[in-house]
Amino acid sequence: MERQKIVAGNWKMNMDFQSGRLLIQAIRDKVGPLECKVVICPPSILLKTGSNLIKDVHNLALGSQNVHQEPKGAFTGELSTQMLKSVGVEYVILGHSERRAYFHEDDTLLAAKTKAVLDSGLKAIFCCGEKLDAREAGNHFKVVESQLKAGLFSSMSTAILSKVVIAYEPVWAIGTGKTASPGQAQEMHAYIRKLVAKEYGDDAAAAITILYGGSCKPNNARELFSQPDVDGGLIGGASLKADDFVAIIEAAH
Ligand code: PGA
């Protein structure tokens, strides 16, 4: 079975309503003819407009950068899965290292968020990745394994595996201009696929999309994406320029 290639853009806290709208339009106008699935994850103020702008483009989808684990209630400032669905969101990024670090999202919270997302019918882009000290100490496989087991596998049944995308994002590569080498990415992606095989079987492992993230740019995307277990990318900085983002999508095409 051919795995789905995906390139997702994580805008983080960048762009305002006007500039973001123009960027979504520019991306939309260029990706229609490409086969690769593209997920745009803008700030939440752009989700409703974004879903209107992309509704006729078959390979474009919208993602949220966050969600609350409870269905509703007194959680000032938060958004629920139902709210996201009501404006046409399809994907939610979970476990991003910035949310783990700055918003103290731990494995227990992430397991609850994963469960809320998958129960609601939304799809999860679940991020994992080690910090530099863990890589230097040779603990990177252990860190990624424990993040996946605690935050994702604990809430995921085989039946909903098709709703999950895993993103490997070494923290030392995010926003630093330092990319994992294609060999380092491939080695970790193959390891993650083996973990999925152990929990859910070989077919599930062969079918799951695993993205690479961390300073992925037009000049390194093709080599990263040509690795057998790298099925696309989660792109931060380079997703804010239409031409760069489209060049990366073309590299996955
Ligand atoms: P970057 O970010 O491409 O700017 O390194 C990736 C991410 O944080 O998802």
Side-chain angles (χ1 to χ4, degrees):
M1 185 185 132
E2 180 85 352
R3 275 195 291 279
Q4 184 171 42
K5 295 248 181 200
I6 299 179
V7 172
N10 173 12
W11 292 11
K12 311 189 182 184
M13 197 173 74
N14 292 296
M15 314 301 275
D16 61 15
F17 183 75
Q18 283 75 17
S19 56
R21 202 170 174 279
L22 291 174
L23 179 55
I24 293 173
Q25 267 167 343
I27 295 166
R28 176 199 62 190
D29 293 345
K30 289 183 178 157
V31 305
L34 303 175
E35 271 311 310
C36 178
K37 176 106 188 175
V38 177
V39 184
I40 302 175
C41 306
S44 54
I45 54 155
L46 279 150
L47 291 173
K48 172 73 179 128
T49 299
S51 77
N52 288 343
L53 287 172
I54 67 168
K55 70 172 180 301
D56 296 326
V57 189
H58 76 285
N59 57 339
L60 254 182
L62 215 60
S64 171
Q65 297 175 19
N66 188 27
V67 74
H68 196 271
Q69 66 277 16
E70 294 298 334
K72 65 176 179 180
F75 301 103
T76 301
E78 294 292 319
L79 298 175
S80 71
T81 53
Q82 184 50 40
M83 291 174 189
L84 296 178
K85 284 173 71 176
S86 74
V87 291
V89 166
E90 225 182 290
Y91 289 83
V92 182
I93 299 175
L94 294 171
H96 192 280
S97 67
E98 286 149 21
R99 296 220 51 97
R100 291 177 192 265
Y102 308 142
F103 303 96
H104 315 295
E105 296 202 357
D106 61 12
D107 290 334
T108 311
L109 178 64
L110 287 171
K113 289 193 175 200
T114 302
K115 185 170 181 333
V117 164
L118 296 177
D119 285 354
S120 76
L122 287 164
K123 296 174 183 151
I125 301 176
F126 189 91
C127 304
C128 56
E130 79 286 356
K131 295 186 188 142
L132 187 59
D133 55 346
R135 161 98 20 198
E136 284 173 349
N139 288 333
H140 42 298
F141 294 116
K142 241 195 265 168
V143 168
V144 166
E145 178 167 354
S146 97
Q147 288 174 339
L148 287 174
K149 284 190 170 160
L152 180 65
F153 296 168
S154 60
S155 298
M156 178 170 106
S157 71
T158 309
I160 46 177
L161 208 71
S162 63
K163 303 258 185 206
V164 173
V165 174
I166 295 174
Y168 170 56
E169 299 204 304
V171 179
W172 45 271
I174 296 178
T176 58
K178 231 197 256 174
T179 320
S181 69
Q184 285 172 321
Q186 168 56 27
E187 184 183 41
M188 183 60 86
H189 283 226
Y191 182 74
I192 292 170
R193 208 175 294 287
K194 240 183 24 211
L195 292 175
V196 175
K198 240 199 254 166
E199 298 279 335
Y200 302 97
D202 290 342
D203 289 352
I208 197 162
T209 295
I210 308 177
L211 309 181
Y212 169 78
S215 297
C216 186
K217 308 283 178 199
N219 64 5
N220 59 28
R222 197 167 295 276
E223 212 188 339
L224 285 161
F225 298 166
S226 68
Q227 301 301 309
D229 287 293
V230 179
D231 307 314
L234 179 54
I235 317 301
S239 71
L240 297 172
K241 288 196 191 122
D243 287 348
D244 284 359
F245 190 51
V246 170
I248 292 171
I249 297 162
E250 281 167 348
H253 180 47

